[in-house]
């Protein structure tokens, strides 16, 4: 079992950047495919990005490709989401997720979730 907690959210102006972190507890973290989801009020939860356990494969939603980068540091039990060129439509609660299902195809089948961190893009 793995426990996840996100950090790094906040209020950013359009065009700005944020880096979200997801720190995991548990001995199985390295074996998990990890991903980021987001959900805005009144909208469906959207799969944003995913990365395999080695860190050699990634996937991105079309809405964020070229602007967001997912990475992981297994030694630190941490997954990151670097978000650049942020837009108002990126405003959402961002969730870290983990799955033992290894396919890096969006959306991943999440087995574990963090509590989320709010990202607000507004001028």
């Amino acid at each position: 079992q793995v426990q996840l907690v996100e950090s790094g959210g906040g209020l950013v102006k359009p065009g700005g950047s944020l880096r979200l972190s997801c720190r995991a507890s548990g001995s199985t973290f390295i074996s998990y495919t990890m991903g980021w989801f987001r959900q805005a009020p009144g909208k469906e939860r959207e799969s944003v990005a995913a990365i395999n356990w080695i860190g050699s494969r990634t996937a991105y939603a079309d809405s964020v490709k070229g602007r967001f980068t997912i990475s992981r540091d297994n030694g630190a039990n941490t997954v990151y989401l670097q978000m650049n060129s942020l837009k108002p439509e990126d405003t959402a609660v961002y969730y870290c997720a983990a799955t033992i299902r290894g396919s890096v195809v969006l959306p991943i089948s999440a087995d574990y979730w963090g509590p989320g961190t709010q990202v607000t893009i507004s001028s």
Side-chain angles (χ1 to χ4, degrees):
Q1 187 173 351
V2 62
Q3 293 79 47
L4 308 172
V5 60
E6 304 92 342
S7 63
L11 176 63
V12 182
K13 295 180 179 179
S17 297
L18 278 177
R19 189 175 76 159
L20 305 182
S21 298
C22 173
R23 298 180 180 178
S25 299
S27 61
T28 62
F29 174 77
I30 295 176
S31 299
Y32 282 72
T33 290
M34 305 294 297
W36 289 93
F37 291 74
R38 66 186 183 185
Q39 188 168 25
K43 296 185 178 180
E44 296 290 322
R45 185 168 294 187
E46 176 188 17
S47 180
V48 173
I51 187 168
N52 70 344
W53 70 274
I54 299 176
S56 60
R57 297 179 63 184
T58 58
Y60 299 94
D62 289 341
S63 58
V64 307
K65 190 174 184 179
R67 300 187 298 119
F68 291 12
T69 302
I70 188 171
S71 62
R72 68 191 298 164
D73 182 345
N74 288 339
N77 287 346
T78 302
V79 176
Y80 304 97
L81 186 67
Q82 178 67 46
M83 305 185 295
N84 299 325
S85 301
L86 286 162
K87 306 174 181 179
E89 51 263 45
D90 295 319
T91 296
V93 176
Y94 283 71
Y95 299 91
C96 179
T99 179
I100 61 172
R101 300 174 177 88
S103 296
V104 186
V105 177
L106 302 184
I108 64 169
S109 299
D111 298 305
Y112 302 97
W113 297 88
T117 185
Q118 177 71 48
V119 172
T120 302
I121 315 302
S122 177
S123 59

